Amino acid sequence: MGKLIGTKRNRGRSIFLFCVLVPTFIWFLIFFIIPFFSVIMYSFTNAHMAYPTYKFVGFDQYIKAFTKDPTFLISLKNTVVTALVIVPSTVILAILLAAGLNALGNRLRQIFTFIYFLPSVISAVAISLVWNWLYNKNYGLFNAILDALGMKTQPFLTSASQALICLCIVQIWSIFGYYAVILLAAIRGIDKSYYEAAEVDGAGPLAKFFRITLPLIKNNILFVCVMTTTVAFMFFAPVQILTKGTPGTSTMVMLLHIMNKGIKNSDIGYASAMSIILMLIILFFSMIQWIITRERKEKAKHYKGQGV
């Protein structure tokens, strides 16, 4: 009897897993695996929507990106600049905000967590339109404040030297609250006994933050770094809505250039090759972050084993 019941339970569990996993796998197959390998395949061809046939061209599309397309090199430089601005700024602000929210009482923490998390659920189009008004050189709020203070008004999005940084600020503002909530959850999960022991030893707030909080949420910070890196290199919506890569090519980023070539110009082969290059760049920077974190973790284990 027991065997029969166990068999029925196993069969029911198998049916449940089948019903859950098969649709998920089909969705994953259709919307990720097939498109991913299609992009890889097209990147080695001269596929173009204007022509019904295409042929294998090897690495010609990749060579073209670095030797025959100056806009690609500009977009690559701009993308790296945005990543260097967005990633450290977002991570630092998220850590500081999470620590600040953790120091508040329950009611205030809930209110401010909601306020800072709100931009992450608002449409990127709506956010970009609001910032477009803030940055407007004629009637924008920022220039109105500068004018009221007797300072020189700024061109912001119409300046080749300012536009890219202005767009980075939009992106940072829209995402750092989301990552702060993730880090806040990690901080709230730290055992309070660590802080109590540190207080007994006479540690102040800064010492507890740097010697307890940061080391114990290291993995969460790594997650935020990797995710922010991906977001930075996939930077697109504010650029498309606010500047479309202008003035000149000062805000042309890789994803916008890929979209222009792949959708506007229908050059599928070349757009696919640039997509693979972008993916490899994101993977490269993510691996560097992971290696640095792992090396620090191994050093910590080494010193701990020696009783240091």
Side-chain angles (χ1 to χ4, degrees):
M1 189 69 177
K3 281 187 177 181
L4 183 61
I5 294 172
T7 303
K8 285 183 177 180
R9 284 180 179 175
N10 290 334
R11 188 180 302 163
R13 189 178 297 132
S14 299
I15 293 172
F16 173 75
L17 290 173
F18 180 82
C19 293
V20 171
L21 294 178
V22 169
T24 305
F25 175 75
I26 292 173
W27 180 89
F28 194 69
L29 178 69
I30 295 173
F31 294 102
F32 179 77
I33 296 176
I34 294 176
F36 176 72
F37 285 102
S38 296
V39 168
I40 294 176
M41 180 194 72
Y42 283 128
S43 70
F44 293 103
T45 69
N46 62 349
H48 198 288
M49 292 183 68
Y51 309 106
T53 60
Y54 55 86
K55 65 179 181 178
F56 179 79
V57 294
F59 288 94
D60 285 0
Q61 301 286 22
Y62 294 91
I63 296 170
K64 173 184 175 182
F66 290 100
T67 60
K68 298 179 182 179
D69 184 6
T71 305
F72 170 79
L73 296 177
I74 293 171
S75 69
L76 176 60
K77 185 200 77 172
N78 290 340
T79 302
V80 172
V81 169
T82 59
L84 292 175
V85 173
I86 291 173
V87 175
S89 301
T90 302
V91 173
I92 291 171
L93 287 173
I95 292 171
L96 294 177
L97 178 59
L101 290 173
N102 185 57
L104 298 175
N106 287 334
R107 183 63 61 86
L108 283 175
R109 183 169 58 249
Q110 291 173 1
I111 293 171
F112 281 101
T113 298
F114 172 77
I115 291 172
Y116 282 107
F117 183 77
L118 193 60
S120 65
V121 298
I122 298 175
S123 166
V125 175
I127 290 174
S128 298
L129 291 175
V130 171
W131 280 88
N132 187 44
W133 167 68
L134 294 173
Y135 280 136
N136 190 281
K137 66 178 182 179
N138 297 319
Y139 54 82
L141 178 62
F142 292 152
N143 272 334
I145 294 173
L146 291 175
D147 187 57
L149 295 174
M151 301 173 68
K152 183 180 178 182
T153 58
Q154 300 296 322
F156 294 123
L157 296 177
T158 57
S159 168
S161 61
Q162 297 179 11
L164 191 61
I165 298 299
C166 290
L167 293 174
C168 290
I169 292 172
V170 176
Q171 186 74 352
I172 293 167
W173 177 86
S174 65
I175 65 174
F176 87 95
Y178 170 77
Y179 294 113
V181 172
I182 293 175
L183 295 178
L184 174 62
I187 293 173
R188 299 291 296 170
I190 297 174
D191 193 335
K192 292 182 180 179
S193 62
Y194 291 111
Y195 296 105
E196 293 170 357
E199 287 180 2
V200 171
D201 291 338
L206 285 177
K208 287 189 285 186
F209 176 73
F210 284 105
R211 295 185 180 182
I212 298 175
T213 304
L214 286 183
L216 291 178
I217 64 169
K218 189 186 301 179
N219 290 335
N220 305 87
I221 293 173
L222 173 63
F223 171 78
V224 170
C225 288
V226 172
M227 294 302 297
T228 310
T229 300
T230 303
V231 170
F233 279 102
M234 299 292 287
F235 191 37
F236 174 73
V239 181
Q240 173 64 18
I241 297 166
L242 296 178
T243 64
K244 292 182 172 59
T246 61
T249 54
S250 61
T251 60
M252 179 64 68
V253 291
M254 284 188 69
L255 197 55
L256 179 60
H257 189 44
I258 292 169
M259 296 291 287
N260 288 340
K261 289 293 183 181
I263 295 177
K264 290 185 178 180
N265 297 347
S266 303
D267 195 348
I268 300 173
Y270 184 48
S272 297
M274 288 192 291
S275 299
I276 298 300
I277 293 171
L278 178 58
M279 182 197 72
L280 293 175
I281 292 172
I282 295 173
L283 182 62
F284 172 75
F285 281 98
S286 299
M287 287 298 295
I288 288 176
Q289 293 170 345
W290 179 76
I291 290 169
I292 291 172
T293 305
R294 193 179 73 167
E295 286 180 351
R296 288 179 178 175
K297 197 178 293 186
E298 288 176 352
K299 285 181 180 178
K301 287 181 180 179
H302 174 70
Y303 290 133
K304 187 176 181 180
Q306 291 183 337
V308 177

